[in-house]
Amino acid sequence: MNDVKRLPCGARGYAAAACLAPVVAALCSWLVLHPDFTGRPGSLYQAADYVTYYEPVARNLLAGHGFTLPAGEPAVRYPPGYPVLLAAVFGLSQLLHISEDALYTGFVLLCLAAASWLIFRLASSVWGAKAGLLSSLIWSTYPLILWLSSEPKVEIVFMPPLYGGFYLFRRALSASEKSEKAARLLYFLAGVLVGAAMLIHPIAIGLGVVLAGAIWLLRREGQTRSKLLASGLLLLGNLAAVAPWEAWVYGETATVAPLSTGGLPSVVDGLTFAANPGLYRSRPALPSGAEQLMEEMHRRELNHELTSYGGVISALVEEGSRHPFDLAELLIVKAARSLYGTDSGRLEVITAPLQAIYILALVAAGLTAWRRGGTARRFALSICLPAAYFWGMSIMVLSIARYMVPAIGLSFALVAALLAEFKPFSPRARP
């Protein structure tokens, strides 16, 4: 197996095109979405976390006040990755005398280019450069990625380390067939990059464990000891990336908070959003059973019964024993909304059919890769595991498509399996 290999000289132009495509697509989409575009676009309700948390923390960090909120308390609601990157952008803006909006825009475009290049590399490693380029081109025009790129959202910044960690993971799997020693460093670095992704978006908190387990499914050879070592090195890289932050949080709060303190509120929000729409959310139309269960969970929230994970689990078990069909209905609703829902409840009549088209195409691509067997099948399985993980995490918290976009984007590497069925794009065909 040679899953990941060096690009031949003739394919480097394809790699450059893969980097350029999302830049062009994003700029065009911003001009359409925001005709008066002058820098970072976006409405405040869509960028509430940026305005109330990420930007203030970044400015305090740049001013030498550490990870603190405007009132001075420790900023532990979200992990530190995005504020650190924002502080770097703001600081570079001051150093170079370039507007923050222009520099942030360039940063977003750089993230898009890097993510597209990684999609190209992943796809071309199995199906050739032509099919890989087309995969990245299709990824570059994915409407939800373009939508997220037009707002100061964390998902676009999250994708390069996420895809980079997965890319190194694939390289480690390939290298392990030739030299176990060469693969060890790659497993560790893959864990570090996945850890970096965790520090940007807490939804990746369990991804290192998923990839460590995937080693046992995807490696055809190797003794139990070597697989244990590979899994351990990947998890050690994870730990090396996140341990300093965890130590700081414990020192500031005397509590252990896995990546952030926002996990429990996100879980509760996912169980009550229809009953507590808030100022900017529209109330979604849900089946009666799911809606009644959300009303009950909201009542429990107001009675302070959902102040711990144990309390949430106890409430769900109790309600599930009384109304099992309502609980099943709620889980089905959350699973579906993870693929098309929006935080505001708006534009879902647009996102739902768009997502259906892309997801059906990705399922077809995955099945095509699976039928081919061998390397293609193992590649498809390696893509499906993170996708399933992200879907499960999205069901656990507020179930919206934004959380699934990075995983769906990674799945675009499978599109090359469909394209390679056509002779002009097959790696067996002459260029």
Side-chain angles (χ1 to χ4, degrees):
M1 182 173 76
N2 188 20
D3 283 9
V4 184
K5 53 191 177 182
R6 187 181 298 275
L7 284 175
C9 292
R12 292 175 188 172
Y14 293 155
C19 293
L20 183 61
V23 174
V24 174
L27 290 172
C28 292
S29 70
W30 294 349
L31 290 173
V32 171
L33 294 171
H34 305 274
D36 56 345
F37 179 75
T38 56
R40 184 176 60 252
S43 56
L44 293 183
Y45 88 86
Q46 290 176 321
D49 289 340
Y50 178 87
V51 173
T52 62
Y53 186 89
Y54 290 122
E55 183 180 17
V57 172
R59 296 200 183 280
N60 277 352
L61 187 61
L62 187 62
H65 304 314
F67 288 101
T68 56
L69 294 170
E73 65 268 30
V76 294
R77 177 65 172 80
Y78 297 112
Y82 193 33
V84 167
L85 293 170
L86 285 174
V89 170
F90 298 155
L92 194 60
S93 168
Q94 296 174 10
L95 182 66
L96 300 179
H97 303 288
I98 299 174
S99 76
E100 289 180 354
D101 284 350
L103 208 57
Y104 181 86
T105 298
F107 174 57
V108 168
L109 294 176
L110 181 62
C111 289
L112 289 171
S116 181
W117 180 82
L118 288 163
I119 293 295
F120 164 75
R121 289 292 276 141
L122 284 165
S124 62
S125 68
V126 180
W127 290 285
K130 286 185 177 180
L133 174 59
L134 287 176
S135 287
S136 66
L137 292 179
I138 295 171
W139 178 92
S140 299
T141 59
Y142 181 36
L144 267 65
I145 287 178
L146 297 176
W147 164 57
L148 287 176
S149 72
S150 72
E151 304 286 346
K153 303 285 191 183
V154 71
E155 280 76 17
I156 297 298
V157 179
F158 172 60
M159 285 191 283
L162 173 68
Y163 295 1
F166 186 79
Y167 173 70
L168 290 182
F169 173 73
R170 293 295 311 172
R171 284 197 63 181
L173 288 174
S174 179
S176 65
E177 295 191 355
K178 300 176 182 178
S179 170
E180 192 67 38
K181 290 183 179 180
R184 289 173 186 171
L185 178 61
L186 289 172
Y187 281 122
F188 178 79
L189 293 177
V192 170
L193 267 184
V194 171
M198 292 162 59
L199 290 174
I200 294 174
H201 202 318
I203 198 171
I205 186 171
L207 185 59
V209 175
V210 171
L211 294 182
I215 292 171
W216 296 79
L217 292 175
L218 300 172
R219 281 186 55 171
R220 296 174 298 174
E221 73 302 307
Q223 298 177 347
T224 299
R225 181 180 177 183
S226 67
K227 293 179 180 178
L228 280 173
L229 180 59
S231 299
L233 286 169
L234 194 149
L235 293 174
L236 182 62
N238 255 197
L239 182 62
V242 304
W245 169 247
E246 293 294 341
W248 182 85
V249 171
Y250 184 80
E252 292 292 322
T253 65
T255 59
V256 177
L259 292 182
S260 73
T261 59
L264 180 62
S266 296
V267 171
V268 174
D269 191 23
L271 294 171
T272 61
F273 66 90
N276 183 28
L279 295 176
Y280 65 88
R281 285 179 180 167
S282 60
R283 191 182 184 102
L286 299 180
S288 59
E291 188 170 9
Q292 289 174 10
L293 182 54
M294 282 197 168
E295 294 282 358
E296 175 60 24
M297 295 302 288
H298 183 48
R299 183 191 67 77
R300 289 174 178 266
E301 180 188 17
L302 295 177
N303 290 338
H304 306 288
E305 298 178 39
L306 307 181
T307 56
S308 68
Y309 288 108
V312 172
I313 293 172
S314 296
L316 286 175
V317 169
E318 185 177 340
E319 292 300 322
S321 63
R322 293 176 181 173
H323 310 287
F325 291 105
D326 290 353
L327 179 59
E329 195 172 73
L330 176 60
L331 291 175
I332 293 171
V333 165
K334 285 172 68 64
R337 287 187 58 82
S338 295
L339 303 177
Y340 73 86
T342 62
D343 192 8
S344 66
R346 301 174 177 88
L347 303 177
E348 292 181 353
V349 293
I350 299 175
T351 59
L354 279 175
Q355 285 287 78
I357 293 170
Y358 280 93
I359 289 173
L360 287 174
L362 292 173
V363 169
L367 292 174
T368 300
W370 186 268
R371 286 196 298 267
R372 283 196 167 198
T375 298
R377 176 174 292 183
R378 289 190 296 276
F379 185 83
L381 180 59
S382 70
I383 290 282
C384 289
L385 291 173
Y389 163 79
F390 273 84
W391 197 9
M393 290 297 290
S394 298
I395 292 171
M396 286 179 58
V397 296
L398 179 64
S399 303
I400 54 177
R402 176 160 61 90
Y403 297 155
M404 283 296 295
V405 168
I408 293 175
L410 182 61
S411 302
F412 274 71
L414 288 172
V415 172
L418 282 178
L419 298 170
E421 294 294 309
F422 300 94
K423 187 175 180 180
F425 310 119
S426 171
R428 297 182 299 272
R430 291 183 179 274

